[in-house]
Amino acid sequence: IPALVFLLSLFGAVIQKTKASCPQCPENASCVNNTYCTCDPGYTSGSGQKLFTFPLEICKDATSSETTQGGKQLQKIVDNFELLLTNQTLLRTGERQEISSRATSILQDVESSVLETALRTPEQKVQKIQNSTVAVETRVITDNCSEERQTFNLNVQMNSMDIRCRDIIQGDPQGPSAVAFISYSSLGNIINATFFEEMNGKDRLYLNSQVVSAAIGPKRNVSLSTPVMLTFQHVKINPRSKKVFCVYWESTEQGGQWSRDGCFLISMNKSHTTCNSTHLSSFAVLMALTSQEEDPMLTVITYVGLSLSLLCLLLAALTFLLCKAIQNTSTSLHLQLSLCLFLAHLLFLMGIDQTEPKVLCAIIAGALHYLYLAAFTWMLLEGLHLFLTARNLTVANYSSINRLMKWVMFPVGYGCPAVIVAISAASRCWLHLDQGFIWGFLGPVCAIFSVNLIFFLLVFWILKRKLSSLNSEVSTIQNTRMLTFKATAQLFILGCTWCLGFLQVGPAARVMAYLFTIINSLQGFFIFLVYCLLSQQVQKQYQKWFREMIKSKSESETYTLSSKVGPDSKPSEVRQVKRKY
């Protein structure tokens, strides 16, 4: 016996030493092989795992009130469900409709049984039971929500739910109310992504979370006044897919299917996805593996084209600033458009791959959103200026038009995009596809393109009428025709390239992608070509600058020559210097 006592004391000392070497293990847990943690005898982990490394894991007393009568009833429910899943012929065989009908029935039965058990033992406010296939947490409310904005967090198998207390009691203070949160570890293998009716043929979908169910009772109201927040742990950590769907199991006449109605994606990182829902049901996270891989040639074209555009936009902006002969309202519009595109392309090249941290990513996305919207807004102002100029061809003095544009263009050109971006930022979502915020960019772009198209059609109609009578206005008409040609070319450069982006569907998607990338990345080159190289006034200014540079260089060489000869040099020395040069 003394030897046995010695061995036991030695074993206890080893355990204490092991615990001391593993500070990351939670309370009532010890370290195994300096790698994993395990709960002490008499305690169980919140996730049900015997070995774990999660630092926020909790070891609870296995002999607490959770294993009393209510706990035993819940344990019986989850054990029966486990036996049901082991019956392969019951759930996995049969037609698609039969499988979905059985799954719908089982989900509803488990929810009802769990809620009834929790309500029969209201003194046990929190109960957590699990086995290898299902985990359950229930919470009973008996105090009629003492705090106005009280929120409960339920957590099973690393999945969690946040729900308002007021939504649990549903305004009924009579008797206890309960909420149940259930996680099924293997049910997703049966009601998998093939039951998602909105699946695109190009994408390969898969369930990247466990199926969870949320229910409240005794009133089985599935609609909520405040959306419930659901956080799912990924089955595949760090998924490559960027296309994520928050879905719920919808009961239909054909049995059931996954649907996105009322479910919205909030955020996603490498290990978890957060969704919210306006109703209660069974939920999961679907991810898509897109079949269209990134084309390295498109990347090369993008970077080469945008680099060339940056150089051309810089030259164009300098030309608009320094060339006095062409400075007018139209040139001011060209200058602002060139500056917006220059900054947008530069930011795109430098920050398009900066997805971490999230704050930096949001700032870059917001800046790109603003700069490209501003570019399209200046395009709209160009169309408006062109229309007003054509409409007033008979007027010799355009000062009224110039005054109007000077008052309008800067507040509209930079103010309207700022308002749109501010609204998107206030919604905590940059161009989000699931909630329709992508139209914060596509909506204004489509509207501007449509309005500009109307402007140009009106301009062409006006010019057709004016060209029928050639008189002293010919020179004015010819200038307007040139302005129309240039503005039409710029409309093609900006508007049509983005329209090609909308046409990237079907068998012609790859061709449209190449056309969109090539033309769109060369916007700056086309602007410099049309408004600088093809302008006679700018050509004359370039020639003048070139002659001045040659003259300045020649004078510099002459000055250098004269300084070397000097005023007191002999004729023979002068001849030698001349021969040398």
Side-chain angles (χ1 to χ4, degrees):
I1 291 184
L4 180 60
V5 171
F6 174 77
L7 289 175
L8 290 175
S9 62
L10 181 62
F11 178 76
V14 171
I15 292 295
Q16 292 295 328
K17 183 178 180 182
T18 304
K19 283 187 176 182
S21 63
C22 281
Q24 72 274 15
C25 291
E27 187 179 0
N28 301 319
S30 57
C31 184
V32 178
N33 297 329
N34 290 324
T35 306
Y36 300 99
C37 296
T38 184
C39 293
D40 294 338
Y43 294 87
T44 58
S45 64
S47 64
Q49 299 177 351
K50 292 183 179 180
L51 301 176
F52 54 87
T53 57
F54 187 57
L56 301 181
E57 183 65 272
I58 299 175
C59 291
K60 294 186 176 182
D61 187 1
T63 61
S64 64
S65 60
E66 294 180 16
T67 58
T68 57
Q69 182 178 0
K72 292 178 180 179
Q73 291 294 327
L74 286 178
Q75 188 66 51
K76 186 176 180 181
I77 293 173
V78 299
D79 290 342
N80 289 338
F81 180 80
E82 184 176 22
L83 291 174
L84 185 63
L85 283 185
T86 57
N87 189 344
Q88 301 288 329
T89 59
L90 183 61
L91 273 176
R92 299 177 184 268
T93 60
E95 297 292 333
R96 174 189 174 89
Q97 182 176 347
E98 295 177 6
I99 295 175
S100 61
S101 297
R102 292 176 195 146
T104 302
S105 178
I106 290 172
L107 289 170
Q108 293 174 350
D109 291 343
V110 171
E111 292 174 8
S112 299
S113 300
V114 168
L115 284 174
E116 290 173 3
T117 302
L119 289 171
R120 280 200 297 266
T121 54
E123 67 279 0
Q124 299 178 34
K125 292 189 175 182
V126 179
Q127 299 186 70
K128 296 186 73 171
I129 297 293
Q130 72 176 38
N131 58 18
S132 61
T133 59
V134 62
V136 177
E137 180 176 356
T138 62
R139 185 179 291 267
V140 179
I141 311 299
T142 57
D143 60 355
N144 193 23
C145 298
S146 56
E147 299 181 13
E148 180 66 23
R149 296 183 176 273
Q150 188 176 8
T151 301
F152 293 112
N153 177 265
L154 288 80
N155 192 309
V156 289
Q157 293 181 340
M158 302 303 173
N159 305 303
S160 65
M161 175 181 69
D162 293 326
I163 185 171
R164 293 278 295 272
C165 181
R166 292 290 182 184
D167 288 320
I168 300 175
I169 66 173
Q170 302 175 64
D172 184 11
Q174 302 296 326
S177 300
V179 57
F181 188 50
I182 309 165
S183 178
Y184 305 93
S185 59
S186 58
L187 188 60
N189 297 328
I190 300 171
I191 49 174
N192 50 37
T194 60
F195 289 89
F196 185 55
E197 298 298 327
E198 301 176 39
M199 183 168 55
N200 189 333
K202 294 171 54 180
D203 300 334
R204 184 167 61 88
L205 293 175
Y206 68 97
L207 239 65
N208 199 31
S209 73
Q210 296 176 346
V211 177
V212 301
S213 292
I216 54 177
K219 291 183 178 180
R220 297 300 303 277
N221 183 15
V222 295
S223 298
L224 305 172
S225 60
T226 304
V228 63
M229 190 80 68
L230 300 161
T231 301
F232 300 86
Q233 186 182 42
H234 295 163
V235 175
K236 295 181 180 179
I237 303 299
N238 194 16
R240 295 182 179 179
S241 173
K242 301 298 182 183
K243 203 170 184 179
V244 182
F245 305 100
C246 297
V247 294
Y248 81 100
W249 187 255
E250 180 183 21
S251 178
T252 64
E253 295 180 355
Q254 290 75 29
Q257 64 182 18
W258 292 114
S259 174
R260 292 194 296 170
D261 294 341
C263 298
F264 304 102
L265 174 67
I266 301 300
S267 64
M268 184 189 75
N269 57 28
K270 297 179 180 179
S271 60
H272 290 81
T273 294
T274 301
C275 309
N276 69 9
S277 175
T278 57
H279 53 77
L280 295 180
S281 179
S282 296
F283 304 92
V285 172
L286 285 172
M287 291 192 175
L289 294 175
T290 56
S291 58
Q292 185 178 1
E293 299 179 356
E294 184 178 352
D295 191 341
M297 185 56 66
L298 287 177
T299 304
V300 173
I301 293 173
T302 298
Y303 279 88
V304 173
L306 289 182
S307 300
L308 178 60
S309 281
L310 286 175
L311 175 61
C312 292
L313 287 170
L314 179 61
L315 294 175
L318 291 175
T319 301
F320 297 145
L321 283 171
L322 301 177
C323 188
K324 303 296 184 180
I326 63 171
Q327 288 186 353
N328 51 35
T329 303
S330 181
T331 306
S332 299
L333 294 171
H334 302 334
L335 174 61
Q336 301 307 318
L337 175 60
S338 299
L339 291 176
C340 289
L341 284 177
F342 178 84
L343 294 175
H345 290 343
L346 182 63
L347 183 60
F348 182 89
L349 288 177
M350 296 178 60
I352 191 61
D353 294 326
Q354 300 295 328
T355 57
E356 296 292 344
K358 295 297 183 183
V359 175
L360 178 61
C361 179
I363 293 173
I364 293 174
L368 286 173
H369 188 187
Y370 175 77
L371 290 171
Y372 279 115
L373 274 185
F376 274 95
T377 305
W378 285 106
M379 183 62 196
L380 175 64
L381 292 172
E382 291 225 28
L384 175 62
H385 180 258
L386 177 67
F387 169 71
L388 293 177
T389 303
R391 189 173 63 88
N392 293 277
L393 279 175
T394 57
V395 181
N397 187 1
Y398 300 105
S399 58
S400 60
I401 301 175
N402 292 332
R403 284 197 301 269
L404 175 64
M405 294 302 299
K406 287 179 181 179
W407 278 99
V408 168
M409 62 182 186
F410 283 101
V412 174
Y414 291 112
C416 291
V419 173
I420 296 173
V421 173
I423 294 173
S424 299
S427 304
R428 300 183 301 165
C429 180
W430 291 109
L431 304 183
H432 208 290
L433 293 176
D434 282 358
Q435 300 187 19
F437 289 107
I438 187 65
W439 290 103
F441 179 75
L442 294 183
V445 169
C446 294
I448 289 171
F449 177 77
S450 301
V451 172
N452 267 349
L453 184 61
I454 295 173
F455 280 152
F456 288 125
L457 292 176
L458 292 174
V459 167
F460 291 145
W461 179 70
I462 293 173
L463 290 178
K464 183 179 179 181
R465 293 181 58 192
K466 288 294 180 181
L467 289 173
S468 60
S469 58
L470 296 178
N471 49 28
S472 59
E473 299 176 353
V474 168
S475 59
T476 306
I477 294 175
Q478 289 176 345
N479 291 334
T480 307
R481 290 175 62 186
M482 179 59 69
L483 182 61
T484 304
F485 166 75
K486 293 177 179 179
T488 305
Q490 189 166 357
L491 177 66
F492 174 79
I493 293 167
L494 288 177
C496 290
T497 54
W498 290 90
C499 287
L500 291 173
F502 297 129
L503 300 176
Q504 294 183 34
V505 293
R510 192 174 187 84
V511 176
M512 292 299 174
Y514 271 92
L515 288 175
F516 176 84
T517 304
I518 293 172
I519 301 175
N520 192 46
S521 62
L522 293 175
Q523 289 178 351
F525 169 75
F526 289 133
I527 291 175
F528 181 62
L529 174 67
V530 171
Y531 286 98
C532 296
L533 297 183
L534 298 182
S535 172
Q536 294 182 356
Q537 290 178 306
V538 176
Q539 289 175 8
K540 292 179 180 179
Q541 186 66 47
Y542 284 164
Q543 293 172 2
K544 180 181 178 182
W545 287 342
F546 183 73
R547 285 194 299 268
E548 290 178 353
M549 290 175 59
I550 297 298
K551 182 179 179 181
S552 175
K553 184 177 180 181
S554 177
E555 291 177 351
S556 176
E557 291 179 352
T558 304
Y559 174 79
T560 303
L561 177 63
S562 62
S563 63
K564 287 187 176 183
V565 173
D568 299 329
S569 300
K570 297 179 182 180
S572 60
E573 293 178 354
V574 173
R575 286 194 297 269
Q576 290 177 2
V577 171
K578 287 183 177 181
R579 291 195 196 101
K580 190 174 182 181
Y581 286 91

